[in-house]
Amino acid sequence: MKTILITGVAGFIGHAIAMELLSKGNTVIGIDNMLGEGEILVIKENRLAELISCPNFILIKQDIANSLWKKELESFDCDFIVHLAAFAGVRKSMQNPIECLQSNVIGFTSVLEFARLKGIRRVVYASSSSVYGDINSSLPSSEHTVTNHPTSIYAASKTSNELLAYVYSLSYGIKTIGLRFFSVYGPYGRPDMAPWIFADSIVNQTEAVLFSNGEMRRDFTYIDEVVDAITKIIANGFHSNYEIYNIGSSNPHSVLELYNTIQEHLGTTGKYKLKERQSGDVLNTHADMTKFYKDFGLLNHIDFSEGIKKFCKWFIKYKTTR
């Protein structure tokens, strides 16, 4: 069994991978600042409650952008770090650029420094499909695509993470894997992302906004596929000192398709209005998964409609039991 440090453990992906690793008898040390407000904080507290109920889970309530969390970890030895803590969201980053960079760039540097000083040689970290910008957006994006044209502060911060990981891999021999996630959704998902926003508006009969006139396409990726990818990496090791992989479904759908599919599985008709694309948004995302499949094998793929059905079923249960 392994001891894995997960930052952002009460986040959407952090909670999901932690629950999977704990179910297999591993020890998980989770770091989270537990900040947020409204529904975002409520869902984080719900995720954390599940984690705390598991044996072999240790919580450190700290912000990775400061050094206090490192002192609390002095007596622990870790086999892996899975770094998922971040200031998330393209639009939020354009409104709060300093906060975004503090969390995403300084925070990640702090994690890499901890790995260097503690002799931890394997780090998996969250990058993002946003690093691709609008370059070749009509085609599947491969890891070889140039990523020096970010369209948002969030995308720039994730590109910076990949560069920092390269430096630490090259200079200190830390094996790093960056995962470019593509629009992850599912139970316990983020309340500030489209699946939750649309489901909530349909249930409450409020008007949703579909940006880019509903034509924006996203490679929506069910959470179980992300968990499968990370567990495969932890189980099978690292193929070189520095790697980056796409993690997506390779099956994009428009925002309007997403809205209509949620309506279908909720069994209720909602209301929406169309608006132009916002600053920082890209029109299309589409993951080329060739590299990951070659190195780690196929993922347990969840069909888009089936994934939305699972999310809607969970969403209704969550809303009615609160």
Side-chain angles (χ1 to χ4, degrees):
M1 296 298 103
K2 297 179 175 67
T3 298
I4 298 120
L5 172 64
I6 301 178
T7 70
V9 75
F12 176 30
I13 299 174
H15 162 261
I17 186 61
M19 291 296 292
E20 176 66 16
L21 293 171
L22 288 164
S23 74
K24 296 182 182 301
N26 298 288
T27 296
V28 170
I29 303 169
I31 301 176
D32 206 291
N33 59 18
M34 292 306 295
L35 295 179
E37 55 186 25
E39 196 79 64
I40 290 175
L41 181 57
V42 170
I43 193 67
K44 284 183 76 171
E45 289 172 341
N46 274 263
R47 297 185 194 119
L48 184 60
E50 277 202 358
L51 292 167
I52 289 173
S53 69
C54 298
N56 302 326
F57 176 72
I58 301 162
L59 174 66
I60 294 175
K61 188 177 177 182
Q62 291 288 355
D63 191 323
I64 58 163
N66 64 46
S67 60
L68 297 177
W69 65 274
K70 298 179 185 180
K71 295 179 181 178
E72 296 194 37
L73 276 168
E74 285 177 354
S75 61
F76 294 101
D77 292 318
C78 302
D79 299 295
F80 283 86
I81 296 176
V82 179
H83 173 62
L84 301 168
F87 182 100
V90 166
R91 292 167 192 158
K92 282 174 57 182
S93 75
M94 302 301 283
Q95 298 163 357
N96 304 281
I98 293 175
E99 187 179 349
C100 175
L101 294 173
Q102 178 74 20
S103 177
N104 293 3
V105 180
I106 301 302
F108 185 45
T109 306
S110 181
V111 169
L112 289 171
E113 267 295 279
F114 175 76
R116 180 180 73 84
L117 294 171
K118 287 283 287 185
I120 301 169
R121 290 290 173 258
R122 290 168 291 185
V123 177
V124 180
Y125 65 96
S127 186
S128 169
S129 62
S130 66
V131 302
Y132 290 116
D134 271 327
I135 303 297
N136 296 323
S137 61
S138 63
L139 301 172
S141 298
S142 81
E143 294 83 351
H144 302 295
T145 303
V146 174
T147 58
N148 59 1
H149 293 83
T151 59
S152 68
I153 301 298
Y154 177 74
S157 75
K158 290 299 183 178
T159 302
S160 298
N161 284 177
E162 295 181 359
L163 294 172
L164 284 165
Y166 180 80
V167 171
Y168 273 78
S169 294
L170 179 69
S171 300
Y172 304 117
I174 298 173
K175 294 185 176 182
T176 65
I177 290 181
L179 301 178
R180 292 175 178 168
F181 295 130
F182 283 70
S183 300
V184 185
Y185 75 98
Y188 283 104
R190 283 170 42 198
D192 60 337
M193 291 191 70
W196 185 301
I197 292 170
F198 292 170
D200 196 56
S201 72
I202 292 166
V203 167
N204 293 310
Q205 288 296 291
T206 57
E207 189 175 60
V209 178
L210 278 62
F211 291 102
S212 297
N213 296 313
E215 297 173 354
M216 187 163 56
R217 296 176 68 80
R218 290 289 178 267
D219 198 347
F220 294 105
T221 308
Y222 193 68
I223 184 63
D224 288 6
E225 296 180 62
V226 173
V227 171
D228 190 27
I230 296 174
T231 52
K232 277 180 165 63
I233 290 168
I234 291 174
N236 295 298
F238 291 55
H239 293 82
S240 66
N241 266 21
Y242 176 82
E243 292 288 355
I244 291 174
Y245 295 98
N246 288 334
I247 304 296
S249 68
S250 296
N251 186 25
H253 294 269
S254 72
V255 171
L256 182 57
E257 286 179 274
L258 171 66
Y259 187 89
N260 288 334
T261 306
I262 292 173
Q263 281 189 129
E264 176 189 342
H265 290 302
L266 289 177
T268 306
T269 301
K271 301 177 289 184
Y272 65 85
K273 61 182 177 182
L274 303 177
K275 279 195 172 183
E276 296 297 319
R277 181 163 38 151
Q278 284 197 317
S279 175
D281 284 346
V282 298
L283 190 57
N284 297 311
T285 66
H286 187 176
D288 182 337
M289 289 293 293
T290 304
K291 182 180 177 183
F292 186 91
Y293 293 159
K294 177 178 177 293
D295 287 350
F296 295 101
L298 296 176
L299 295 175
N300 295 324
H301 178 65
I302 305 294
D303 175 75
F304 174 71
S305 182
E306 181 62 23
I308 295 298
K309 181 180 178 181
K310 288 174 180 286
F311 166 72
C312 289
K313 183 178 179 180
W314 171 86
F315 184 83
I316 292 299
K317 182 179 179 181
Y318 171 79
K319 285 293 187 178
T320 55
T321 56
R322 278 191 55 193

